[in-house]
Amino acid sequence: MKINFMLIDDNEIDLFINRKYIEKEVGNAEVRTFQKAKNALKYLQCYENDKEDHDHFYPDIILLDINMPEMNGFEFLNALGNLRDIRILRIKTYLLSSSSHLNDILDAENHDNCEGFINKPLTGRKLEQILDKIFPKPKQ
C-alpha cells in the first residue's frame, strides 16, 4: 500500500532530511514538501474546488512544524478544519516540532484536527508509531 506524506516546515534542511528518511524507512511512500503552510493549504484547497478525482497527489499523513512565518502550525490546523472535502477530513495530521513549550504539546494533543505532537527529530520509532496507529497490523 502506498502512503502519501505531506511535510510542512520552513526549515529546508529538516524537509530534506525527513523526506529522505521517510522514503528510506517506508517502502512505498511518496513525499511532498512545502516550506510555507499557506502554500500547502492552497494545494489542499484545490480539492474543495475540483470535485473530480484526478491522479493528483493526496496526502494520507501531514507532518507539520509549529513555528513558521506567515502561518504557523496551529493556524494551518484551524484553516484545515474549515475544509469539508471528505478526502481532507481523512488526513492524519501531526505536529512535528522542536518546541518544548507545554502549551504547544497540550494544544496539539487537544486540537480537533491534530492526531498528536511529535518532538523533532523524526526517528524510526516515531514513524512506526504513527503508521501503527493509522494502519494497524492484523493480529496473528
Side-chain angles (χ1 to χ4, degrees), residues 8 62-68 72-77 92-98 103-109 111 113-120 130:
I8 306 169
I62 296 175
L63 299 179
L64 171 68
D65 190 22
I66 293 176
N67 297 312
M68 296 180 287
N72 70 35
F74 289 109
E75 291 168 331
F76 178 88
L77 289 172
K92 303 300 182 192
T93 303
Y94 290 85
L95 286 173
L96 176 64
S97 179
S98 58
N103 286 345
D104 285 343
I105 297 167
L106 293 175
D107 289 347
E109 297 291 338
H111 199 287
N113 301 318
C114 185
E115 298 296 314
F117 181 91
I118 302 166
N119 279 327
K120 286 182 181 179
I130 292 169

Side-chain angles (χ1 to χ4, degrees), residues 123-137:
T123 64
R125 179 72 183 130
K126 293 172 187 175
L127 190 55
E128 185 179 326
Q129 287 174 335
I130 292 169
L131 295 175
D132 285 348
K133 185 175 180 183
I134 297 171
F135 308 106
K137 296 175 185 162

Side-chain angles (χ1 to χ4, degrees), residues 7 12-22 122:
L7 305 179
E12 191 173 351
I13 294 170
D14 283 350
L15 284 176
F16 178 80
I17 291 170
N18 289 335
R19 177 185 195 147
K20 292 298 182 186
Y21 189 75
I22 290 168
L122 184 62

